[in-house]
Amino acid sequence: MKKGLNEIIRRAIARAQERGELPEGALPPLIVGYPRDERHGDYATNVAMAMASHTKKAPRAIAETIVRFIEDAEGIIERIEVAGPGFINFFLKEAYWHYFLREADRQGERYGAGELGKGKRALVEFLSANPTGPLHIGHGRIAAFGDSLANLLEKVGYKVEREYYVNDRGTQMQLLGQSVYSRYLEEWERAVAFPPDGYQGAYIREIAHDIKKEEGDKYLSAPKEDVINLMGEKAAHLILGWIKDDLERFRVRFDRWYRETDLYSSGLAPRLLEELRGKGYLYEDGGALWFKSTLFGDEKDRVVIRGNDATTYFASDISYHKDKYDRGYDLLLDIWGADHHGYIPRMEAAVQALGLDKSIFKVILVQLVNLLRDKKQVSMSTRTGEFTSLKEVIQEVGVDACRYFFLLRRADSPLDFDLELAKKEGVENPVYYVQYVHARVTSIFKKAAEKGVEIPTFDNVDIALLRLPEERLLAKRVAIFPEFVEGMALALEPHRLTSYLQDLAGIFHSYYNKHRIISDDRELTKARFLLVKVIQGVVRSALGLLGIAAPAEM
RNA sequence: GCGCCUGUAGCUCAGCUGGAUAGAGCAACGGACUUCUAAUCCGUAGGUCGUAGGUUCGAAUCCUACCAGGCGUGCCA
């Protein structure tokens, strides 16, 4: 509807200009928004005020002029007001909102779907946590965010693929192997120095213990280097399995697990470095090979091959992203933890150096989670093994509450996750408030069935009977759902859905308490059935986008 | 030091590309169940939007400086 009004206003201004009633000239960006206060209309625009400065006319006079030239061909506008300093407020006809109830009912699950991404493919790479330890709570936030964002993009028409990039080689793998090896030796009571930066978590001991149990002492005599590599691989494989289990439980599914080692077995990584060298973007210094990322705005140049001949993760990432581009997506999103933000300039530099279209590549940073236990911050480090696992948190607070909690805040905003509070919140958690809407509607229909009340289809319902203010508010929420979804997809901000849901739930609960759906008035009952059915559908869709269940009873 | 993010009610946070009287949940207090689920509703109270300037018809939103917190600043990821 925003778009529709946009056109109507634009045409009105154009006509006014043709008649010489408004000066010619470029229009300011036309903004149609929702007024905070319903008394200011369903939609409002500030265009008259925006035009005031360069036309040297009073904003209210401009507004009056525009209003005089507005033509409402489809007859959806109830009335228009010029208000305040020069707002133009639009009040739409009930029938207009009711039209969307019909649409929502007709389209069912598809309602709210958009065309923004029609015919386009998007790749969302997220999480990509190193398989060096179990997922912790900070990973949970990224997983919830990435998955919901992917859902959102799907809803507006993108063909979306979710991808997890697995760092299964390099320094961290070495360290993992060394850590397991040390613990393995300890199992046999061999004196051994634990690697200084090694992974100290208890899970490393478990892995070492299991290796001992299943394979005995065969690794005691084998060459150390080989054993470390082998144990690194074993451990990574095992840990990746845990990660997959946790994600399964968290309802996050990936379409592809892209392994870093594949970049080397396919030869892509070395080829890409050659290409960069050929373009003159690489140089040697101090025994290392550097990429001239400063040419593209990075603070300093970055190493791609170290003095010890090892390639850096950055080298892998260059080829990985080149591969993403080669796969032909229209949108490439990377979701990273905010601690990686220093990495963005070099990644963008690499994209440009390869002559790729920077505009389709976007990194979204998700701020880390501060875990609070007894109001005190728990330091989190996979290396020291001091962290609270995602699995543990899911068990304590449940998947639904957990996901909702993570998506309650903007990705930009750091999140304090107070374990006690999250647990305690239980029934008071807003997620239940929203889910309860869904359950309540189910309950209404169950009751209706018991009473033998007919569940209508749209053909035999008179929607115009819905005349209560609350009914208008509800119909309106249903109506704006599609453009709301589109707005979120454009801004890449799934968290707005929680505000939308709580707003809708609030109006619904209030309505439910004040008025009866099932009454002696058959026709009114049918109309209300339709309304609540449609609301239930929207709630279900919205919860679905968040990856949260819509329970039939609670 | 430099860079990025954040600073809004007692707490946790919304506030959609600059708009009208800044919102919600929790916590606090007072009410509402013989009715379709009270996991709900109704009401009360709670604010120098970190500070100081600037831009303009208009700023929580944009710009500058400063203050506070987080993160980064490596031949780690």
Side-chain angles (χ1 to χ4, degrees), chain A residues 233-248:
Chain A
E233 277 173 33
K234 271 181 186 292
H237 182 74
L238 210 59
I239 293 169
L240 199 58
W242 297 345
I243 289 174
K244 287 181 179 178
D245 289 347
D246 287 351
L247 289 173
E248 183 73 29

Side-chain angles (χ1 to χ4, degrees), chain A residues 445-458:
Chain A
F445 284 117
K446 207 168 128 192
K447 197 67 175 185
E450 283 168 19
K451 290 187 175 180
V453 182
E454 176 198 4
I455 309 293
T457 59
F458 234 107

Side-chain angles (χ1 to χ4, degrees), chain A residues 60-128:
Chain A
R60 287 196 65 115
I62 297 172
E64 301 287 358
T65 307
I66 294 172
V67 169
R68 259 193 298 122
F69 281 93
I70 281 177
E71 280 173 20
D72 175 22
E74 293 167 58
I76 54 175
I77 300 174
E78 174 77 32
R79 67 177 199 281
I80 304 173
E81 284 178 357
V82 174
F87 289 102
I88 304 174
N89 297 337
F90 296 87
F91 296 80
L92 304 190
K93 290 185 176 164
E94 299 261 293
Y96 175 73
W97 302 122
H98 290 162
Y99 162 78
F100 281 95
L101 293 180
R102 179 175 283 117
E103 275 304 292
D105 181 55
R106 192 177 61 78
Q107 295 181 24
E109 296 286 315
R110 282 189 1 264
Y111 183 66
E115 310 240 302
L116 194 67
K118 194 178 178 188
K120 294 182 184 165
R121 295 169 61 217
L123 180 70
V124 183
E125 183 222 324
F126 62 106
L127 203 54
S128 302

Side-chain angles (χ1 to χ4, degrees), chain A residues 308-452:
Chain A
N308 64 359
D309 284 342
T311 49
T312 60
Y313 281 82
F314 179 47
S316 301
D317 283 337
I318 294 173
S319 42
Y320 174 43
H321 283 78
K322 165 67 170 158
D323 183 59
K324 289 186 186 180
Y325 271 92
D326 286 346
R327 285 187 261 153
Y329 299 101
D330 301 286
L331 181 63
L332 292 174
L333 296 180
D334 281 18
I335 320 290
W336 297 350
D339 54 339
H340 287 63
H341 75 253
Y343 215 78
I344 297 176
R346 82 188 69 167
M347 206 59 247
E348 288 180 347
V351 166
Q352 291 172 80
L354 291 170
L356 302 169
D357 177 7
K358 192 179 130 189
S359 69
I360 66 167
F361 172 62
K362 188 163 169 54
V363 178
I364 299 172
L365 297 176
V366 178
Q367 290 290 327
L368 301 185
V369 178
N370 295 316
L371 186 69
L372 304 173
R373 195 186 280 283
D374 296 326
K375 301 289 173 202
K376 278 185 297 190
Q377 191 167 336
V378 180
S379 74
M380 287 209 289
S381 158
T382 307
R383 212 162 269 174
T384 60
E386 199 182 335
F387 57 84
T388 302
S389 69
L390 177 61
K391 189 175 176 181
E392 197 179 321
V393 175
I394 292 172
Q395 275 164 0
E396 283 174 14
V397 310
V399 174
D400 290 336
C402 200
R403 288 189 70 136
Y404 198 87
F405 206 97
F406 284 139
L407 291 163
L408 213 42
R409 290 136 177 79
R410 282 161 44 230
D412 262 355
S413 176
L415 168 63
D416 283 340
F417 200 110
D418 184 328
L419 260 185
E420 273 71 27
L421 188 69
K423 272 187 282 184
K424 191 185 73 181
E425 254 185 345
V427 300
E428 279 137 20
N429 193 303
V431 68
Y432 300 110
Y433 184 76
V434 173
Q435 285 181 318
Y436 192 38
V437 173
H438 192 271
R440 267 191 155 165
V441 175
T442 304
S443 169
I444 291 168
F445 284 117
K446 207 168 128 192
K447 197 67 175 185
E450 283 168 19
K451 290 187 175 180

Side-chain angles (χ1 to χ4, degrees), chain A residues 116-186:
Chain A
L116 194 67
K118 194 178 178 188
K120 294 182 184 165
R121 295 169 61 217
L123 180 70
V124 183
E125 183 222 324
F126 62 106
L127 203 54
S128 302
N130 286 355
T132 52
L135 295 179
H136 56 65
I137 188 164
H139 293 128
R141 185 180 189 187
I142 295 176
F145 178 85
D147 189 49
S148 285
L149 183 59
N151 288 340
L152 200 50
L153 292 175
E154 273 169 348
K155 188 79 178 175
V156 296
Y158 280 96
K159 168 95 175 59
V160 179
E161 291 169 37
R162 294 163 173 77
E163 190 158 301
Y164 187 118
Y165 176 66
V166 186
N167 291 117
D168 58 350
R169 66 190 294 280
T171 315
Q172 300 307 315
M173 281 301 105
Q174 274 294 310
L175 214 47
L176 179 65
Q178 282 167 12
S179 304
V180 175
Y181 183 55
S182 293
R183 296 303 187 208
Y184 177 77
L185 293 180
E186 280 177 23

Side-chain angles (χ1 to χ4, degrees), chain A residues 243-310:
Chain A
I243 289 174
K244 287 181 179 178
D245 289 347
D246 287 351
L247 289 173
E248 183 73 29
R249 184 192 294 245
F250 204 47
R251 306 184 195 130
V252 176
R253 291 231 173 99
F254 286 92
D255 297 295
R256 192 174 301 104
W257 299 75
Y258 198 109
R259 301 162 62 90
E260 186 186 1
T261 42
D262 291 342
L263 295 169
Y264 293 84
S265 55
S266 70
L268 181 64
R271 251 198 333 271
L272 257 286
L273 287 183
E274 278 317 305
E275 185 180 332
L276 287 175
R277 193 198 295 274
K279 289 182 172 179
Y281 292 135
L282 300 185
Y283 65 93
E284 279 187 43
D285 184 46
L289 191 63
W290 297 74
F291 167 60
K292 291 185 188 173
S293 48
T294 48
L295 286 178
F296 304 95
D298 196 6
E299 281 177 2
K300 51 173 292 193
D301 293 338
R302 307 293 174 176
V303 170
V304 285
I305 297 181
R306 294 192 272 159
N308 64 359
D309 284 342

